[in-house]
Amino acid sequence: MTIEDLVRLRRARDVMDRDYAEPLDVPALASVALMSPGHFSRSFRAAFGETPYSYLMTRRVERAKALLRRGDLSVTEVCFAVGCTSLGSFSSRFTELVGETPSAYRARRHEAGAAIPACVAKVFTRPVRNSAGNRGAGSAAAS
């Protein structure tokens, strides 16, 4: 993989970070990276260790966690606010990454982390895919 390829892949990843709530698909992201959809998907996975869809859903779940901690939106409202179109798919992916349902996460108290700056909290609350040996651990620090 060339440096130019990595620059284009980072550009597409930046679009996912910034526009996570927009309807993004592989062909649209591949056009940002100036690649064919198949080449983009293979290259993205090789460069970042996960598929573009998985990366995008992780961004959406990160934002959903922040919105659910506020407590002023329903799970359905949060689902649509972060760009998901299916409550079932959103709930399944949220549960897979966080280790608990969005409703359970929303209902739980979150005051203990309120004093932590958001830039620091983001590092430790980033959702990670739960493996068999890491079931229920919802932070990068636990993996």
Side-chain angles (χ1 to χ4, degrees):
M1 186 171 314
T2 68
I3 288 288
E4 291 82 15
D5 286 343
L6 289 172
V7 168
R8 289 193 298 265
L9 290 169
R10 279 196 307 266
R11 189 177 304 132
R13 189 180 64 178
D14 290 345
V15 166
M16 287 187 266
D17 289 340
R18 183 182 60 244
D19 299 332
Y20 63 86
E22 299 299 319
L24 297 172
D25 59 10
V26 168
L29 293 166
S31 69
V32 169
L34 304 174
M35 297 177 176
S36 71
H39 182 65
F40 171 73
S41 291
R42 288 186 301 275
S43 298
F44 191 95
R45 184 177 186 122
F48 302 117
E50 60 185 327
T51 66
Y53 176 78
S54 179
Y55 184 85
L56 177 61
M57 286 305 295
T58 300
R59 294 286 79 68
R60 288 176 172 172
V61 168
E62 279 180 348
R63 183 63 183 140
K65 287 175 68 177
L67 292 172
L68 290 167
R69 282 192 301 270
R70 285 187 0 201
D72 59 340
L73 297 175
S74 71
V75 171
T76 302
E77 290 169 323
V78 169
C79 167
F80 294 121
V82 299
C84 294
T85 56
S86 164
L87 182 59
S89 296
F90 167 74
S91 295
S92 295
R93 181 55 65 111
F94 188 98
T95 302
E96 176 186 346
L97 293 174
V98 178
E100 62 185 325
T101 66
S103 297
Y105 184 84
R106 183 178 184 270
R108 174 162 71 77
R109 297 177 62 88
H110 298 281
E111 289 85 12
I116 300 171
C119 59
V120 174
K122 180 180 176 182
V123 172
F124 292 102
T125 62
R126 181 171 192 251
V128 294
R129 195 175 274 28
N130 290 322
S131 63
N134 191 25
R135 203 75 183 143
S139 71
S143 57

